[in-house]
Amino acid sequence: MKTSDAVVSKRITNSVLNYMIEHGVEDITIRLKVKDDKITIIAEGNTDRKPNDIDELNSLINQKRTSTLEEYYSTLLGYSDNVNDIDLLGSMVDEGCINYNDNLLTFYAMRVSN
């Protein structure tokens, strides 16, 4: 794994974990897979309430990622271990999906390296 991919995968993972914790998710499992030029993150956990911003997050994580937007959020918010911003997460992934079904919140994100 290239250093830049490691940094980005860490940022995405931290953002997903922070999102889930802030929404009351318990017993969280996160899988990170880095293969060739693709980073895939899958997270799931139990919660008794559906987050009210799922539709917004699904929209953001499926917008076309541009380096300009990613650089903008990087400059504006700074990348650090405690950054938790839904827009930042959306700017770092190429596609994703968040679902809530039977008290299980599932998050999928994928990014292709440049």
Side-chain angles (χ1 to χ4, degrees):
M1 178 185 322
K2 296 185 294 187
T3 303
S4 60
D5 290 340
V7 170
V8 169
S9 64
K10 180 180 171 185
R11 291 176 186 154
I12 295 169
T13 302
N14 283 339
S15 292
V16 170
L17 182 60
N18 287 335
Y19 176 87
M20 295 183 93
I21 289 171
E22 284 188 1
H23 287 81
V25 179
E26 299 174 352
D27 192 17
I28 301 168
T29 302
I30 296 179
R31 293 188 328 240
L32 170 67
K33 180 178 180 181
V34 180
K35 184 164 176 146
D36 301 323
D37 64 344
K38 187 163 119 178
I39 298 167
T40 305
I41 296 169
I42 300 171
E44 61 183 22
N46 297 308
T47 183
D48 58 358
R49 64 182 192 269
K50 179 181 179 179
N52 60 357
D53 59 355
I54 282 182
D55 293 335
E56 178 186 1
L57 182 55
N58 271 317
S59 176
L60 286 170
I61 61 179
N62 284 293
Q63 291 180 2
K64 183 171 171 51
R65 178 175 57 96
T66 65
S67 59
T68 305
L69 186 60
E70 188 173 12
E71 289 170 16
Y72 168 76
Y73 282 116
S74 174
T75 302
L76 181 65
L77 300 171
Y79 280 143
S80 68
D81 289 342
N82 62 358
V83 168
N84 182 28
D85 185 274
I86 197 169
D87 294 321
L88 177 61
L89 180 58
S91 75
M92 291 188 295
V93 301
D94 291 309
E95 69 179 59
C97 183
I98 184 166
N99 291 308
Y100 179 77
N101 191 13
D102 293 330
N103 293 343
L104 183 67
L105 186 68
T106 305
F107 188 98
Y108 163 83
M110 188 272 302
R111 175 186 171 109
V112 178
S113 299
N114 294 335

